[in-house]
Amino acid sequence: MTTRLRWPIALATLLGLATAVWAMGSVGFVALAHAALRMGTGGFLVFCGMSLLLYGLLGGAWWASMPGRPLRELPLFGWARTAREAANDLLPFSQIGGLMVGGRTMTGAGLPGPRVYAAMVVDLSTEMASQVAFTLFGIASLGALLEDGTRHRVAPLAWAGVGVSIAVTVAFIVLQRPMLRLAAKLAAKMLPDGAIPMDRLTAELTDIYARKGAVALSFLLNLAAWLFAASLAAMVLAMIDEPVALWRVIALESLIFALRGAAFVIPGAIGVQEAGYVLLAPLIGLDPQAAVALSLIKRARDVAIGVPALLIWQAREIGARRAGA
């Protein structure tokens, strides 16, 4: 990461940490801890196990974005997506670090670099497009509440997050050539053979998009992953004795994910997620204390899964380099 990018990301991260502390303090640290602990060790382990299924769904969407790969490789895609999410959530590199880790996992397993990085662009496109559909559902579900005069103060935050998220998605889908250049740069850093020519990446991308069934499947699997992630949040709320109707949780999570998408430059969207829960939870009748507890449980899940995943990934990388030396 260049110095030009390092300092803005560092400052954004510090601001995010301060916001997270404010969000936790606004609902009370002791009460927040009690709410989170109501889940129990067993409940947390169940949540982590179900989250692995979520990564499997996301891996399936990536697999669909690379048509022609055999079904037996599906676990590899699930593992690559787990490592990618771990880097996104835990490393101070914003989303770029996750893309590098995911791409290296795939090419290190012997998959062709041009196809891997072109498929990564397609997968990101279908993931973001499915998030737009997911977010629009949330807006439709909460439309009446957002117009409620007693809660109008949160409407600008919600609409701003949604607007930025949709704008970024549309720009990403329409302007994919810059993403191809990013993919080429990632490949140059991660592949032992060096850079991939742009014309090769463009040819691979064109070939994948010509297979409309594969692209549609990737979109549907990513949309299923968004819905499944929201259902996991509903499960957590039930475990901490704060049950909320599933459709309301889906609506809340769609807005939270939109805010996270708008804050993509902040690693893990630290602070943005917590502040979003504090301000938006009342829209669905959820106590902000329970909402921030949900956020902390998600963070704990990310650490519990992400740290071992990154350690395993690093050990495999070291082993592969020693074998190739």
Side-chain angles (χ1 to χ4, degrees):
M1 188 185 302
T2 65
T3 303
R4 184 180 298 176
L5 291 175
R6 186 182 297 120
W7 284 110
I9 290 177
L11 290 174
T13 302
L14 289 175
L15 179 61
L17 286 171
T19 305
V21 172
W22 166 82
M24 291 184 287
S26 69
V27 298
F29 291 102
V30 175
L32 182 60
H34 284 308
L37 289 174
R38 283 201 296 269
M39 187 176 195
T41 303
F44 181 69
L45 291 176
V46 170
F47 176 50
C48 289
M50 296 294 287
S51 295
L52 291 177
L53 296 179
L54 172 62
Y55 299 146
L57 264 178
L58 292 169
W62 198 354
W63 171 82
S65 297
M66 200 183 302
R69 305 307 306 182
L71 188 61
R72 66 175 181 275
E73 291 182 345
L74 195 55
L76 169 63
F77 284 82
W79 159 243
R81 190 57 197 253
T82 302
R84 176 173 142 189
E85 290 300 312
N88 285 341
D89 292 329
L90 302 179
L91 297 182
F93 304 132
S94 188
Q95 301 296 309
I96 303 301
L99 297 178
M100 293 180 69
V101 168
R104 176 59 187 168
T105 302
M106 305 295 281
T107 57
L111 275 66
R115 194 72 164 178
V116 166
Y117 287 96
M120 181 184 292
V121 173
V122 174
D123 178 52
L124 285 169
S125 298
T126 59
E127 181 180 6
M128 296 176 77
S130 65
Q131 184 181 8
V132 169
F134 183 62
T135 302
L136 290 176
F137 171 81
I139 293 174
S141 299
L142 288 177
L145 290 175
L146 287 174
E147 294 301 324
D148 186 338
T150 64
R151 296 167 179 170
H152 71 279
R153 64 187 179 87
V154 303
L157 174 68
W159 286 114
V162 170
V164 172
S165 179
I166 292 176
V168 170
T169 299
V170 172
F172 180 91
I173 293 173
V174 173
L175 304 173
Q176 291 204 353
R177 192 168 182 80
M179 282 306 302
L180 282 179
R181 284 197 290 268
L182 173 61
K185 290 180 180 179
L186 293 178
K189 289 180 177 293
M190 303 303 291
L191 296 179
D193 299 335
I196 299 173
M198 277 293 295
D199 59 347
R200 183 75 184 278
L201 279 172
T202 301
E204 292 286 356
L205 190 70
T206 301
D207 178 68
I208 294 173
Y209 276 127
R211 309 189 187 196
K212 294 181 173 56
V215 176
L217 179 59
S218 178
F219 172 86
L220 291 174
L221 287 173
N222 273 314
L223 181 58
W226 290 115
L227 293 169
F228 187 64
S231 69
L232 289 179
M235 181 184 75
V236 170
L237 290 173
M239 286 180 172
I240 64 174
D241 299 324
E242 296 283 350
V244 178
L246 178 58
W247 75 269
R248 286 177 171 263
V249 178
I250 290 175
L252 173 64
E253 289 294 284
S254 72
L255 298 179
I256 294 297
F257 285 131
L259 291 174
R260 283 181 59 102
F264 63 91
V265 297
I266 304 176
I270 184 72
V272 175
Q273 175 174 293
E274 287 72 22
Y277 274 121
V278 168
L279 296 173
L280 296 176
L283 289 175
I284 66 167
L286 178 64
D287 188 331
Q289 180 187 103
V292 178
L294 168 62
S295 181
L296 293 184
I297 290 168
K298 285 184 176 183
R299 299 285 188 195
R301 180 270 316 272
D302 294 341
V303 172
I305 295 177
V307 170
L310 288 176
L311 290 175
I312 293 171
W313 182 84
Q314 187 63 46
R316 288 186 172 184
E317 279 292 298
I318 293 173
R321 291 176 183 175
R322 286 178 177 173

